[in-house]
């Protein structure tokens, strides 16, 4: 419809002043659809809307359609499988999933688990497994499926029928430690590749992580194709998610990216059971309508799968549109109530709203009304939706499938507010569930929660195995093998850092120069994926624009205004840089896709994600944790790091805590190097560990934008080992150390200056140690300590190895909070004090910031004099530092 905008006479032109004329227009469109097809009719309608706009008319929004199925019954393709057998398989999987959770909680009430989510999604999974989800095989790399995490028991149940999992596996759901102690394998609560590396591909257990990762995974597949690193393939990324999960910002953060890049290799299936953990997702509205508007507005192809086949007959009878009007006036909270009750209740409270609705079911029994399915429980309807989605071109597709949470759980849980928390069922509920799905299980086996697996030659298992064979094999399965790559030695790409000869540069500039050199290497150059979140120029990476280009699926459709400059902005279809815009969540998702390519695509890639360090672990820590779970390999580079090196930016930008958060991620190797040669040694080591030796770990490096005169790499033995293990002696004492100074990152230079002042002004001989990683030292210490306690063979921890030859006091200074150096306190064999930048950041010069946080060379000297008991000299320095006026510590300011 079109209306004049605005009306000039106060008349509401949306009122139908001539219903007969309106009907003629509707009939004309209907006739065009019948005679010429939906494609032609759609073209004509779009043309009319465009013409209306040229006449100054405004079309009402049509992003929300009727609460009906997008695909009419007469447009559904024939169902290709044996429907009766596939329904039986789904019922068996429902039982085994339920038995798995209930058994665990009868034995151990604290284990938890979920029954209702898979109960609602079982048919959505089954149609995918039987007809659409292709496995990696000789025919191709296969599809990727991001699984709804609360449905994990159902995925295990299917793997049980496939023969991949056995009774003992299912009996140890959420009992991984117990299982291991018995020589068995346990089943993780949710999809966790770290815990089940040969099974799960993608971690989705933290709500919202799956959708954004799936989008960037689909985009990275296109990136590899456009760069000719993998052949083009009709490969899909499927994501099965929950409607409540769509409240998470990450779930919807990248929808426009998927549409903008025309990712028709991406299909989302949103299980709209209308209920989240505590109650309705949108009690006073309709989540399907809301999501339709959201996805359609973002440019996605939307397929609504609302009602099952049983409704088709009623809709054909309903020539007056009473059903559509009733649906439009019913909110999700009421739909949930209908789901929780039987046919008699639904007749009384839905169909008896008015005579038109009542007449539609006048000849129906209450049992027939009770059997009216929602679309997400009808395999024929699901297949039609998947079939259309898989063949749609030019857009990503979302299928909004309405289901009942706890479907089949009856009075014990179907559609109830408490359904999500249901972990146990009483005997009557178990028998009712068995009867509801006509399962061939005796009363005794049912009450004993015995798992059921048909005979190998049964129709169910023969059909299941045949369908998976036709689709290339079983999924989910994770590939743990990938080709090794031998990275080049640092001499080839970092000679300028190893022999710097006093040249001034920042460590950020150094790593960018190293990256530039690595990109030219014949072995790994094409495998490097530079990633930035709209900060490439800040980090001095603009030279890469012209050298390797910025990836764009459309190429460059404009002439950049700086085309005449050497470093002009160049987008290209085969560009290598992923410049993600201002989205740290998107950039880290790209990094995860690239860093798991060795498993997902069988093609090792090496991503370097360079970003403001404050906007890493603090801002997107959950996504980094998921990347660790997914066994991502690559480099995270926290640039402009520390709390005192980013002078003018202040509180929100200055990072003083990322190394504490990095230390909590088990497979993250975190380093805070001071000099360029340290960076080179760490990068070389990381590449060898990840590409050649294939360790499932990633490296976090913090680098600064402070220009310093860069020394050559010391030739003393043990320096390389010390850099990698966490500390090494940079400057020995002239005779015998009276104090030992530990400096990390930018504070190493302050420690060196402090050592000079101690010697020149106070006659104190000091050693200076460069600490590249307090977290690596702490891990080493804990491992050595544990080995000693358990009576195992153990080497001495590295801290004692380095510092054990003297009882001279130790002072450690860092540009991070004191908790960072405090990690090694237990292993320092002498009096130990730490200096750090606890508190909120400030904007000022580096010198003022270091004085404010009390970490500068003068403060290191003061702490050294105090710990040595030289109070007269310390008092003089306190006056210089105006210590008397510093009543409030910086962390309280």
């Amino acid at each position: 419809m079109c209306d004049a905008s605005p009306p000039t006479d106060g008349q509401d032109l949306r009122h139908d002043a001539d219903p007969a004329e309106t009907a003629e227009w509707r009939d004309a469109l209907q006739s065009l659809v019948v005679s010429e097809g939906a494609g032609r009719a759609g073209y004509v309608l779009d043309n009319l809307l465009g013409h209306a706009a040229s006449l100054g008319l405004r079309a009402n929004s049509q992003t929300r359609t009727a609460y009906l199925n997008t695909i009419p019954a007469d447009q559904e393709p024939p169902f290709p499988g044996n429907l009766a057998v596939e329904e039986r398989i789904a019922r068996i999987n429902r039982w085994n999933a339920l038995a798995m959770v209930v058994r665990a909680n009868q034995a151990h009430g604290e284990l938890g688990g979920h029954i209702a989510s898979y109960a609602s999604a079982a048919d959505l999974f089954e149609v995918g497994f039987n007809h659409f989800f292709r496995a990696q095989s000789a025919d191709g790399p296969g599809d990727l499926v991001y699984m709804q995490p609360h449905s994990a028991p159902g995925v295990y149940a299917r793997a049980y029928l496939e023969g991949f999992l056995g009774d003992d596996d299912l009996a140890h759901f959420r009992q991984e430690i117990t299982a291991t102690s018995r020589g068995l394998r346990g089943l993780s609560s949710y999809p966790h590749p770290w815990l089940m590396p040969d099974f799960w591909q993608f971690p989705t257990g933290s709500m919202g992580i799956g959708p954004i990762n799936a989008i960037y995974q689909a985009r990275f597949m296109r990136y590899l194709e456009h760069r000719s690193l993998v052949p083009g393939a009709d490969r899909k990324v499927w994501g099965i998610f929950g409607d409540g999960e769509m409240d998470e910002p990450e779930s919807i953060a990248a929808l426009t990216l998927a549409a903008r890049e025309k990712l028709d290799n991406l299909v989302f299936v949103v299980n709209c059971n209308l209920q989240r953990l505590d109650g309705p997702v949108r009690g006073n509205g309709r989540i399907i309508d809301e999501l339709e508007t959201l996805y359609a507005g973002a440019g996605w192809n939307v397929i609504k799968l609302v009602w099952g086949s049983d409704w088709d007959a009623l809709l054909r009878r309903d020539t007056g549109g009473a059903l559509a009007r009733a649906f439009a006036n019913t909110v999700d909270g009421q739909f949930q109530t209908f789901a929780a009750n039987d046919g008699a209740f639904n007749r009384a409270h839905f169909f008896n709203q008015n005579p038109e609705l009542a007449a539609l079911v006048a000849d129906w029994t209450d049992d027939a009304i009770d059997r009216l399915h929602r679309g997400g429980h009808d395999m024929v309807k699901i297949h039609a939706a998947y079939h259309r989605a898989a063949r749609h071109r030019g857009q990503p597709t979302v299928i909004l499938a309405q289901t009942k949470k706890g479907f089949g759980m009856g009075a014990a849980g179907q559609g109830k507010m408490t359904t999500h928390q249901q972990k146990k069922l009483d005997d009557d509920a178990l028998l009712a569930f068995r009867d509801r799905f006509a399962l061939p299980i005796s009363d005794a086996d049912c009450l004993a929660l015995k798992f059921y697996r048909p005979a190998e030659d049964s129709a169910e298992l023969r059909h299941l195995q045949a369908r998976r064979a036709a689709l290339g094999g079983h999924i989910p399965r994770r590939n743990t093998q990938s080709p090794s790559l031998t990275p080049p030695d640092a001499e080839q790409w970092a000679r300028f850092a190893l022999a710097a000869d006093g040249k001034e540069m920042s460590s950020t500039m150094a790593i960018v120069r190293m990256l530039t050199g690595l990109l030219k290497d014949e072995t790994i150059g094409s495998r490097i994926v530079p990633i930035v979140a709209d900060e490439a120029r800040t980090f001095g990476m603009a030279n890469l624009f012209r050298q390797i280009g910025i990836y764009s699926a459309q190429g460059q459709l404009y002439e950049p205004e700086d085309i005449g400059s050497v470093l002009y902005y160049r987008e290209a279809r085969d560009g290598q840089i992923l410049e993600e815009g201002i989205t740290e969540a998107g950039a880290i998702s790209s990094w995860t896709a690239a860093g798991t390519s060795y498993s997902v695509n069988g093609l090792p890639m090496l991503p370097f994600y360079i970003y403001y360090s404050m906007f890493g672990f603090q801002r997107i820590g959950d996504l980094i944790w998921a990347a660790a779970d997914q066994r991502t390999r690559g480099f995270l580079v926290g640039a402009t790091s520390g709390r005192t090196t980013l002078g003018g930016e202040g509180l929100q930008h200055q990072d003083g805590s990322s190394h504490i958060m990095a230390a909590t991620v088990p497979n993250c190797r975190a380093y805070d190097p001071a000099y360029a040669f340290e960076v080179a040694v760490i990068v070389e080591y990381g590449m060898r560990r990840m590409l050649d030796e294939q360790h499932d770990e990633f490296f976090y490096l913090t680098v600064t934008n402070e220009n310093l005169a860069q020394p050559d790499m010391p030739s003393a033995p043990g320096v390389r080992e010390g850099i990698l293990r966490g500390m090494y002696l940079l400057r020995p004492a002239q005779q015998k150390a009276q104090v030992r100074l530990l400096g990390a990152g930018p504070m190493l230079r302050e420690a060196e200056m402090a050592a000079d002042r101690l010697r020149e002004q106070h006659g104190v001989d000091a050693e200076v140690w460069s600490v590249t990683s307090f977290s690596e030292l702490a891990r080493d210490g804990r491992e050595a300590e544990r080995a000693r306690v358990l009576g195992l063979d153990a080497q001495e921890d590295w801290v004692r190895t380095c510092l054990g030859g003297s009882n001279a006091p130790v002072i450690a200074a860092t540009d991070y909070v004191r908790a960072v150096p405090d990690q090694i306190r237990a292993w320092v064999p002498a009096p130990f004090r730490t200096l750090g930048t606890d508190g909120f950041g400030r904007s000022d010069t580096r010198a003022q910031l270091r004085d404010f946080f009390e970490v500068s060379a003068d403060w290191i000297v003061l702490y050294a004099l105090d710990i040595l008991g030289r109070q007269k000299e310390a008092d003089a320095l306190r006056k210089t530092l105006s210590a008397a006026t510093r009543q409030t510590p910086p962390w309280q300011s």
Side-chain angles (χ1 to χ4, degrees), residues 405-701:
K405 192 155 192 175
F407 179 65
M409 292 172 66
Q414 180 172 288
K416 295 184 178 297
M417 294 293 186
T418 57
T419 294
H420 190 85
Q421 309 303 331
Q422 196 79 33
K423 319 294 182 193
K424 300 179 181 180
L425 298 178
D426 61 24
D427 289 354
D428 289 341
L430 289 171
L431 293 170
F433 187 94
R434 185 236 8 224
D435 295 342
R436 166 68 178 78
F437 291 109
L439 293 162
I441 303 173
S442 69
D443 287 358
D445 286 348
C446 179
L447 298 180
L449 293 164
K450 186 174 181 180
F451 302 125
Y452 175 69
R453 189 172 189 272
E456 289 295 337
D457 62 350
S458 66
E460 291 85 0
L461 288 197
R462 283 190 286 110
H463 184 81
L464 180 147
Q465 300 290 12
R467 292 308 310 146
R468 287 315 312 164
L471 292 168
H474 297 296
I475 59 170
R477 297 293 188 274
R478 180 179 176 276
N479 178 26
T480 60
Q481 303 295 321
S482 74
S484 293
L485 290 175
T486 303
D489 294 335
E491 285 283 344
Q492 299 179 37
W493 45 269
R495 180 65 186 167
F496 72 92
L498 301 176
D501 195 27
K503 294 184 180 69
E504 281 202 357
M505 72 181 78
S506 67
S507 50
T508 295
M509 183 189 301
I511 200 167
V512 170
R513 284 187 63 181
M514 293 173 199
L515 185 60
T516 302
L518 286 168
L519 285 163
K520 298 175 183 177
D521 183 74
E522 293 183 0
T523 303
I524 68 166
S526 64
R527 305 296 185 90
I528 290 174
V529 184
I531 303 172
V532 290
D534 203 35
E535 291 283 2
R537 296 185 191 276
T538 302
F539 306 138
M541 297 173 65
N543 65 304
L544 297 181
F545 293 167
R546 188 167 185 175
Q547 179 183 334
I548 57 174
I550 299 162
Y551 171 70
S552 168
Q554 290 79 39
Q556 192 157 31
L557 307 180
Y558 62 94
E559 183 177 283
E561 62 81 22
D562 59 350
I563 188 67
S565 68
V566 175
L567 306 179
Y568 71 90
Y569 195 83
R570 185 174 76 88
E571 298 185 68
R573 188 175 167 86
D574 62 350
Q576 196 163 346
I577 302 170
L578 290 174
E579 211 283 15
E580 301 297 7
I582 304 175
T583 166
E584 288 84 6
I588 195 67
S589 297
S590 270
W591 180 79
T592 300
T596 54
S597 179
Y598 72 93
S599 173
V600 171
N601 304 300
L603 184 75
M605 302 294 287
L606 185 65
F608 285 78
Y609 172 30
I610 305 178
Y611 58 92
Y612 262 53
S613 64
M614 187 65 160
F615 304 141
F617 284 85
Q618 177 162 308
R619 187 175 187 129
I620 48 168
D622 199 17
L623 282 157
I624 295 175
W625 187 259
D629 187 351
Q630 199 172 328
R631 298 171 174 263
T632 304
R633 302 172 186 173
F635 289 98
L636 294 177
V637 182
T640 59
S641 68
R643 189 150 282 162
T644 71
T645 63
L646 193 60
E649 294 285 358
L651 185 150
Q652 200 69 25
H653 285 64
Q654 291 171 343
D655 170 29
S657 55
S658 68
H659 274 283
I660 282 293
M661 289 177 270
T664 66
V665 182
N667 54 341
C668 173
R669 309 285 297 275
Y671 289 89
D672 185 24
Y675 290 128
F677 69 81
E678 296 176 345
V679 176
V681 169
I682 295 165
V683 170
E684 179 188 53
Y685 174 68
M687 289 194 299
R688 187 172 70 251
R689 292 275 297 179
M690 295 182 290
L691 295 178
D692 190 8
E693 300 171 12
Q694 300 199 49
H695 292 279
D696 293 340
E697 60 191 24
F698 63 94
F699 285 71
Y700 175 52
L701 280 75

